[in-house]
């Protein structure tokens, strides 16, 4: 059967904190990741999101930053300039970790929303390692996943519109690892969710 020959997907929840809207002029300051689960021909299997994780704080790559963006994470740029990991080292370590945890499967980055985190992650991977373990398109947006299952317009989706049982009970702290773990639970819940029940009068 053809579906049995397809490699499983290993979903990795990724969250980044940055000091501006785009990579290059601005910097990714921290990177958190947590394995969310695996999907194969038999369906989706959730993982314990605290079991396989990755976290690094990075040295800024430019002098420019947006104060409001920096304030979200509460990270100290001066400290990171002195103590943060070199981006080339951190992204190589991240790539090695992705390859290790996804052995036998194809890694897929998932985020909420994926667009912002993926933009920084992919730029950093290509800029500092020359390649991405996710390829150029191996990402999934949780907002799109929910909108599709719920039958809602994408721009109508915020976490507050989701059924409470889908949301993680963990706080969203704007610490990249905390948020990656929280969103790994959200992703697993979304993957198992059959969608809203029949409408009632």
């Amino acid at each position: 059967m053809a579906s049995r020959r397809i490699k499983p997907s290993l979903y990795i929840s990724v969250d980044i904190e940055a000091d501006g809207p785009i990579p290059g002029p601005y910097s990714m300051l921290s990177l958190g990741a947590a394995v969310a689960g695996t999907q194969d021909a038999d369906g989706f299997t959730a993982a314990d999101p605290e079991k396989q994780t990755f976290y690094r704080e990075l040295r800024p790559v430019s002098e420019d930053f947006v104060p409001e963006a920096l304030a979200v994470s509460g990270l100290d740029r001066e400290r990171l300039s002195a103590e943060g990991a070199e981006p080339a080292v951190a992204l190589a370590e991240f790539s090695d970790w992705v390859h290790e945890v996804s052995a036998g499967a194809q890694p897929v980055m998932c985020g909420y929303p994926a667009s912002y985190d993926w933009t920084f992650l992919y730029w950093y991977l290509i800029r500092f390692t020359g390649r991405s373990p996710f390829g150029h398109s191996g990402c999934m947006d949780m907002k799109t996943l929910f909108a599709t299952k719920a039958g809602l317009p994408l721009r109508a989706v915020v976490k507050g519109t989701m059924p409470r049982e889908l949301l993680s009970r963990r706080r969203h702290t704007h610490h990249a690892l905390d948020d990656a773990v929280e969103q790994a639970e959200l992703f697993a819940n979304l993957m198992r969710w059959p969608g809203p029940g029949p409408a009632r009068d």
Side-chain angles (χ1 to χ4, degrees):
M1 190 173 180
S3 63
R4 297 288 176 180
R5 295 195 294 270
I6 298 174
K7 266 190 170 186
S9 289
L10 188 284
Y11 294 102
I12 298 173
S13 171
V14 173
D15 186 83
I16 69 99
E17 298 297 329
D19 60 15
I22 58 172
Y26 304 102
S27 304
M28 178 168 71
L29 301 179
S30 62
L31 166 62
V35 173
T38 306
Q39 185 177 24
D40 59 20
D42 295 319
F44 177 78
T45 303
D48 176 350
E50 293 185 327
K51 188 174 182 181
Q52 294 176 297
T53 63
F54 181 93
Y55 181 71
R56 292 291 184 278
E57 295 180 354
L58 289 75
R59 179 181 59 77
V61 297
S62 80
E63 296 298 319
D64 296 329
F65 66 95
V66 177
E68 294 83 0
L70 182 61
V72 170
S73 68
L75 290 166
D76 184 334
R77 274 180 54 95
E78 287 190 17
R79 179 182 67 80
L80 293 178
S81 294
E83 302 175 3
E86 289 294 329
V89 173
L91 273 295
E93 291 173 342
F94 176 69
S95 293
D96 289 344
W97 177 82
V98 171
H99 288 303
E100 179 183 339
V101 298
S102 63
Q106 292 180 311
V108 177
M109 175 271 193
C110 55
Y112 185 97
S115 54
Y116 182 75
D117 303 272
W118 176 256
T119 297
F120 274 88
L121 180 63
Y122 186 72
W123 187 91
Y124 266 73
L125 284 166
I126 298 302
R127 172 67 179 82
F128 292 107
T129 74
R131 63 185 65 186
S132 164
F134 305 101
H136 69 277
S137 62
C139 64
M140 181 180 286
D141 177 39
M142 296 183 209
K143 290 185 72 169
T144 303
L145 179 58
F146 175 76
T148 301
K149 286 193 169 189
L152 291 173
L154 179 64
R155 298 302 293 271
V157 173
V158 294
K159 284 184 181 177
T161 67
M162 295 182 177
R164 184 173 297 178
E165 65 268 19
L166 293 179
L167 301 176
S168 171
R169 294 183 179 180
R170 301 172 191 269
R171 291 176 55 239
H172 193 81
T173 66
H174 293 290
H175 181 286
L177 182 54
D178 288 349
D179 293 353
V181 171
E182 176 226 345
Q183 288 165 184
E185 290 187 340
L186 171 61
F187 180 79
N189 292 340
L190 284 169
M191 289 293 285
R192 293 179 295 210
W193 186 51
R200 295 179 181 175
D201 294 333

